[in-house]
Amino acid sequence: GIYELELQYPLTGRLFSSLVNSAIIVAEPYEGATEQAFRIYKITKPLNGRVTVYAQHISYQLNWIPVMPFNYSSLADCFTKLKTYSASTNPFTLWTNKTVATGHSFDVPQSFRAFLGGTQGSVMQMYGGDYEWDNYTVRLWLRRGADNGVRIAYGKTLIDAKPEAN
């Protein structure tokens, strides 16, 4: 899903002059989480002495790292080759707790993020799992979270749902 930061900052704030496009903001995305890096992509014009800053998680940088086609023999081999076949500097590391010995191939160059998911034959489509984006570390978990025994049922624990497409 979308992993973005939106904040309002006063024009008189001591860090206001540091808020520029492509600058990185480090923030805690939710209570108790590890601080994460977000890159600014938009800053609004001042309104009532404040600007609104929009930033994407640093993992969105994976959209701009091209990867050349390759064959692989397992998920671990795929993760190694994703780094090896990156056509530009790649500061990201990959980790998984999944052990899969089935191979596949990628036949056309794509962005690193497209290889991970959202395209035909991607790692997510082939192996499933849950991604965790932790700064420059991408983790593919067999399963994230915990089963707390809560069942979501419309009209009981779910009052309303509003679908959104983008």
Side-chain angles (χ1 to χ4, degrees):
I2 295 173
Y3 198 2
E4 295 192 0
L5 169 73
E6 179 181 328
L7 65 90
Q8 291 190 352
Y9 197 81
L11 298 174
T12 56
R14 74 179 171 88
L15 297 175
F16 176 74
S17 63
S18 300
L19 298 177
V20 294
N21 281 334
S22 294
I24 293 177
I25 296 173
V26 176
E28 186 179 282
Y30 54 90
E31 190 175 330
T34 305
E35 290 182 335
Q36 299 292 311
F38 294 84
R39 187 175 304 276
I40 297 172
Y41 69 88
K42 179 179 165 186
I43 303 169
T44 64
K45 300 257 186 223
L47 182 64
N48 297 328
R50 295 180 168 272
V51 292
T52 301
V53 178
Y54 299 90
Q56 294 177 322
H57 189 264
I58 200 68
S59 66
Y60 281 63
Q61 186 174 321
L62 291 167
N63 287 322
W64 311 113
I65 299 174
V67 179
M68 301 309 294
F70 62 89
N71 297 319
Y72 61 92
S73 59
S74 66
L75 180 56
D77 185 39
C78 177
F79 276 10
T80 299
K81 287 184 176 175
L82 273 168
K83 288 278 291 187
T84 303
Y85 285 83
S86 292
S88 62
T89 303
N90 187 340
F92 291 87
T93 57
L94 296 161
W95 175 95
T96 186
N97 67 347
K98 295 174 69 83
T99 53
V100 181
T102 306
H104 190 60
S105 64
F106 292 114
D107 300 326
V108 288
Q110 299 181 74
S111 75
F112 195 107
R113 197 168 185 115
F115 276 106
L116 293 177
T119 60
Q120 185 72 18
S122 68
V123 170
M124 181 58 69
Q125 184 187 33
M126 296 297 296
Y127 303 113
D130 295 313
Y131 281 119
E132 175 185 6
W133 310 99
D134 184 10
N135 289 311
Y136 288 96
T137 301
V138 179
R139 293 184 183 92
L140 178 60
W141 292 92
L142 181 63
R143 173 184 271 174
R144 281 184 73 189
D147 184 348
N148 295 325
V150 176
R151 182 171 173 260
I152 298 174
Y154 189 76
K156 295 185 181 207
T157 53
L158 177 65
I159 306 301
D160 191 18
K162 295 179 183 173
E164 179 180 313
N166 63 27

